[in-house]
Amino acid sequence: QANLDKSAATANRSMMSFAKEIYQESGIRGIFKGTGATLLREVPGCAVYFVTYEYSKKELCRLQSVDPSELSPG
């Protein structure tokens, strides 16, 4: 019962109210808590994605005898 009351009380709160509460309790460090872990997860994945994309584009252009500079940007 108490858990339901708590979730009902937080259901109508805005993102800004949560941010203000975190800032009041922990300061600016609280706002960015977890950023390091997120970067450790995202940076390697993005690096692999871009390298794979560029390699695939280069190889597909080579196989089809297309100059990569002729590809449209959009």
Side-chain angles (χ1 to χ4, degrees):
Q1 181 68 22
N3 195 16
L4 292 175
D5 292 337
K6 185 177 180 183
S7 64
T10 59
N12 294 326
R13 291 183 61 194
S14 69
M15 180 91 117
M16 196 60 167
S17 68
F18 282 110
K20 285 179 183 178
E21 183 179 325
I22 291 169
Y23 184 78
Q24 288 171 350
E25 290 177 7
S26 305
I28 196 71
R29 285 179 169 256
I31 299 292
F32 292 101
K33 186 175 183 179
T35 302
T38 300
L39 289 173
L40 286 173
R41 179 191 71 211
E42 293 297 322
V43 170
C46 288
V48 168
Y49 173 83
F50 285 114
V51 168
T52 303
Y53 173 81
E54 289 297 325
Y55 177 78
S56 299
K57 183 175 77 169
K58 183 178 102 176
E59 286 300 307
L60 288 170
C61 285
R62 184 183 62 79
L63 289 171
Q64 295 184 359
S65 301
V66 174
D67 183 13
S69 64
E70 294 176 6
L71 297 176
S72 66

